[in-house]
């Protein structure tokens, strides 16, 4: 007779996305997304609730739609590294995760920045590795658009391999600074490296000694088959959009099933979906609040912008309170919106437009109401008891290992969850009441990686 599996612990993180329609910047309770005090308040709420880490996405370019800037994506937020380094000074245990792409940066710079952040935070740094595919985004960089889309994951793997070589380049060498003997290092040749492959040809000495975690925790955000394979081969955690029970279980089984190909075990990769919530005293009040939030997030103008991404044409003169357009979308890419991954997610535009029309006709919905129905419904809606029970159920059912929460009010929208839901998870015995370690690897239950000189390059 086999013993029952121990209850899994829930991992929780908090995402500060910056100004966009999800965070409802127009709500009078929303604060600045630029002033440092907002980041401090957000981080300190998360740390007070014993969250694993704070998460920052990346904004490579202000994305345009029909030649104008809208609030569908992050519009104006300070640089990721600058914010995380500053937060390291005002937090003690909270992990600090930053998204940095591997297409438009260089391994030496990124490895130096994350190793430094790991030192400054005493072992709380994490790097979310992402790729970019389009020349429009690349125009902001010195080699914009040079990388074929088909090569982006090859470069990402080479980039991460190069960064790992740099992180490990001080293996076995410590700074001893022995004044009596005049000896500075415990061994010769600190930081020596040479990297030559199809993407990089660099050699020299890496200036940052081995950081407290050995290497920063590695995240991957990508839902394609190649993204999942990249995560299975190299990441410690994967950031995903599959936040429902069925979709989460399918994604979880898929990525965990890939680990054995790389000699990795089930617990070496955490699955952490983004999740939004509507929290109130009762489930009925929460349902009403969720509907109100969705109306805030999808204003009449925002509904038109979403519809334009599907129809791939200018709908500025269309009435968002009228029916779903009867005419068909324009095939092709970058006609109306440039540099947006969400545009690609529509896939077959004609079929999706028909689905919108059918939904509108069956329920008697306007275009705006259809957009509210088909985009971004909250993952968790209910009383504190309902949300705590749902999160616990999802994690125990292997739909995820936890969630990266995105409150619709920034920075203070996280406080109610921290004060009302977290204690219930703690009562269930599935979330920590105190930090038991000092590093982010401690919080996530991840081992310190073995340097490649000892483990052999994978």
């Amino acid at each position: 007779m086999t013993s029952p599996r121990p209850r899994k612990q829930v991992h929780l993180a908090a995402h500060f996305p910056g100004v966009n329609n999800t965070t409802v910047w127009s709500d009078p309770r929303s604060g600045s997304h630029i002033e440092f005090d907002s980041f401090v308040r957000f981080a300190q709420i998360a740390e007070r609730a014993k969250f694993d880490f704070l998460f920052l996405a990346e904004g490579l370019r202000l994305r345009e739609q029909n030649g104008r800037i809208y609030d569908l994506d992050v519009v104006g937020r300070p640089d990721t590294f600058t914010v995380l380094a500053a937060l390291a000074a005002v937090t003690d245990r909270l992990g600090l995760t930053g998204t940095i792409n591997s297409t438009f940066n260089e391994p030496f710079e990124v490895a130096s920045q994350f190793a430094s952040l790991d030192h400054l935070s005493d072992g709380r740094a994490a790097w979310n590795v992402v790729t970019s595919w389009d020349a429009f985004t690349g125009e902001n960089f010195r080699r914009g658009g040079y990388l074929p889309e088909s090569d982006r994951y090859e470069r990402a793997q080479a980039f991460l391999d190069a960064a790992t070589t740099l992180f490990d380049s001080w293996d076995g060498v410590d700074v001893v600074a022995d004044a009596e003997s005049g000896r500075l290092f415990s061994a010769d040749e600190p930081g020596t490296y040479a990297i030559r492959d199809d993407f990089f040809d660099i050699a020299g000495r890496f200036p940052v000694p081995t950081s407290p975690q050995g290497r920063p925790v590695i995240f991957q955000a990508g839902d394609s088959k190649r993204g999942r394979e990249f995560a299975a081969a190299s990441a410690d955690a994967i950031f995903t959009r599959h936040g429902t029970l069925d979709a989460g279980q399918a994604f979880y089984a898929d990525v965990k099933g890939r680990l054995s190909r790389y000699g990795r075990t089930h617990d070496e990769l955490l699955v952490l979906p983004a999740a939004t919530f509507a929290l109130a005293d009762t489930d009925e009040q929460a349902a009403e609040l969720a509907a109100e939030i969705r109306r805030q997030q999808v204003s009449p103008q925002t509904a038109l912008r979403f519809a334009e991404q599907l129809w791939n044409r200018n709908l500025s003169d269309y009435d968002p309170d009228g029916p779903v357009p009867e005419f068909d979308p324009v095939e092709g890419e970058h006609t109306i919106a440039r540099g947006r991954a969400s545009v690609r997610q529509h896939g077959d535009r004609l079929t999706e437009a028909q689905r919108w029309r059918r939904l509108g006709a069956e329920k008697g919905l306007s275009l705006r109401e259809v957009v509210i129905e088909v985009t971004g419904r909250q993952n968790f809606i209910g009383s504190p008891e309902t949300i705590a029970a749902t999160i616990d159920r999802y994690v125990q059912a292997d739909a995820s290992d936890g969630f990266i929460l995105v409150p619709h009010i920034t920075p203070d929208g996280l406080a109610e969850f921290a004060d009302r839901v977290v204690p219930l998870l703690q009562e269930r015995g599935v979330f920590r009441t105190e930090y038991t370690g000092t590093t982010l690897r401690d919080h996530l239950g991840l081992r310190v990686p073995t340097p490649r000189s000892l483990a052999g390059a994978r």
Side-chain angles (χ1 to χ4, degrees):
M1 181 175 177
T2 58
S3 301
R5 187 179 75 170
R7 291 181 67 77
K8 291 168 61 180
Q9 290 294 296
V10 174
H11 295 287
L12 291 176
H15 183 193
F16 190 119
V19 172
N20 60 22
N21 70 295
T22 301
T23 52
V24 193
W25 57 269
S26 58
D27 191 298
R29 294 170 296 172
S30 291
S32 169
H33 291 235
I34 297 176
E35 294 174 2
F36 184 53
D37 179 65
S38 291
F39 292 93
V40 173
R41 283 157 52 191
F42 191 76
Q44 291 182 337
I45 292 169
E47 189 166 65
R48 168 166 58 82
K50 316 303 179 190
F51 276 31
D52 293 72
F53 59 92
L54 177 146
F55 184 94
L56 292 182
E58 184 181 44
L60 296 175
R61 174 169 182 159
L62 291 179
R63 291 170 179 161
E64 300 169 14
Q65 185 156 317
N66 205 23
R68 297 185 63 184
I69 307 297
Y70 295 100
D71 62 354
L72 301 183
D73 287 294
V74 174
V75 181
R77 203 206 65 198
D79 171 72
T80 293
F81 265 114
T82 306
V83 172
L84 294 181
L87 288 178
V90 295
T91 54
D92 294 316
R93 291 289 182 268
L94 186 68
L96 303 168
T97 303
T99 303
I100 299 294
N101 82 88
S102 59
T103 302
F104 303 119
N105 290 298
E106 296 297 327
F108 183 92
E109 296 163 344
V110 173
S112 177
Q113 290 166 324
F114 274 108
S116 297
L117 179 63
D118 207 40
H119 277 290
L120 294 176
S121 64
D122 292 328
R124 295 183 284 137
W127 169 22
N128 180 35
V129 184
V130 296
T131 66
S132 181
W133 80 88
D134 70 310
F136 173 75
T137 300
E139 289 173 358
N140 262 351
F141 300 86
R142 58 187 177 277
R143 291 186 294 177
Y146 76 96
L147 185 70
E149 180 183 357
S150 58
D151 288 348
R152 60 182 175 131
Y153 274 107
E154 280 74 10
R155 179 181 166 94
Q157 188 64 64
F159 194 111
L160 182 56
D161 287 345
T164 301
T165 296
L166 295 166
F167 291 141
D168 290 353
S169 63
W170 279 67
D171 177 42
V173 183
D174 297 318
V175 178
V176 294
D178 185 340
E180 185 172 337
S181 66
R183 191 180 181 199
L184 186 56
F185 302 114
S186 62
D188 295 333
E189 307 300 324
T192 301
Y193 73 94
I195 300 164
R196 294 186 173 84
D197 56 36
D198 292 341
F199 295 94
F200 307 108
D201 184 0
I202 54 177
R205 290 181 183 273
F206 188 59
V208 187
T210 302
S211 70
Q213 295 188 105
R215 302 170 200 151
V217 174
I218 299 299
F219 280 71
Q220 143 72 10
D223 191 39
S224 66
K225 289 183 179 178
R226 297 180 73 189
R228 298 180 188 200
E229 208 67 32
F230 179 76
S234 306
D236 298 305
I238 184 166
F239 177 60
T240 166
R241 60 188 173 86
H242 298 289
T244 64
L245 182 62
D246 292 342
Q249 286 177 317
F251 182 84
Y252 192 97
D254 182 275
V255 294
K256 295 273 186 173
R258 297 171 188 257
L259 291 169
S260 60
R261 301 176 198 170
Y262 304 96
R264 305 183 72 197
T265 58
H266 188 269
D267 57 354
E268 289 186 73
L269 177 70
L270 300 175
V271 178
L272 300 172
T276 54
F277 59 88
L279 173 64
D281 290 340
T282 68
D283 290 350
E284 292 74 18
Q285 291 172 347
E288 294 174 3
L289 174 62
E292 178 184 335
I293 294 170
R294 293 297 294 136
R295 287 192 293 273
Q296 286 182 299
Q297 292 172 329
V298 184
S299 68
Q301 290 306 307
T302 297
L304 286 180
R305 302 290 86 77
F306 277 120
E308 286 180 342
Q309 291 175 12
L310 173 56
W311 263 262
N312 207 16
R313 64 170 70 185
N314 187 344
L315 297 177
S316 297
D317 295 332
Y318 203 82
D319 180 7
D321 294 318
V324 177
E326 287 297 328
F327 48 84
D328 287 333
V330 175
E331 295 291 356
E333 195 167 313
H334 295 327
T335 301
I336 189 71
R338 305 178 69 193
R340 293 184 55 87
S342 59
V343 175
R344 289 186 162 195
Q345 291 173 4
H346 285 305
D348 184 341
R349 294 179 186 279
L350 293 177
T351 300
E352 184 66 5
Q354 290 168 0
R355 186 174 77 89
W356 284 30
R357 289 191 200 104
R358 188 165 55 249
L359 179 63
E362 290 174 354
K363 294 190 174 183
L365 303 178
S366 68
L367 173 61
R368 181 190 178 198
E369 290 168 332
V370 168
V371 173
I372 289 173
E373 283 276 309
V374 300
T375 60
R377 183 177 181 272
Q378 294 90 346
N379 299 84
F380 303 118
I381 300 171
S383 66
E385 292 78 9
T386 296
I387 291 181
T390 306
I391 289 175
D392 187 18
R393 179 164 60 92
Y394 278 32
V395 171
Q396 305 311 327
D398 286 343
S400 77
D401 292 306
F403 293 93
I404 300 176
L405 299 171
V406 190
H408 70 282
I409 300 295
T410 305
D412 296 329
L414 187 65
E416 189 174 17
F417 185 99
D419 293 336
R420 303 186 69 187
V421 178
V422 168
L424 297 176
L425 292 171
Q426 292 169 332
E427 287 179 8
R428 287 170 168 265
V430 295
F431 190 69
R432 67 175 67 85
T433 55
E434 294 293 341
Y435 290 111
T436 56
T438 59
T439 71
L440 179 55
R441 288 188 180 277
D442 291 335
H443 305 341
L444 296 174
L446 299 169
R447 65 175 177 80
V448 174
T450 303
R452 286 186 168 185
S453 61
L454 300 177
R458 182 159 55 199

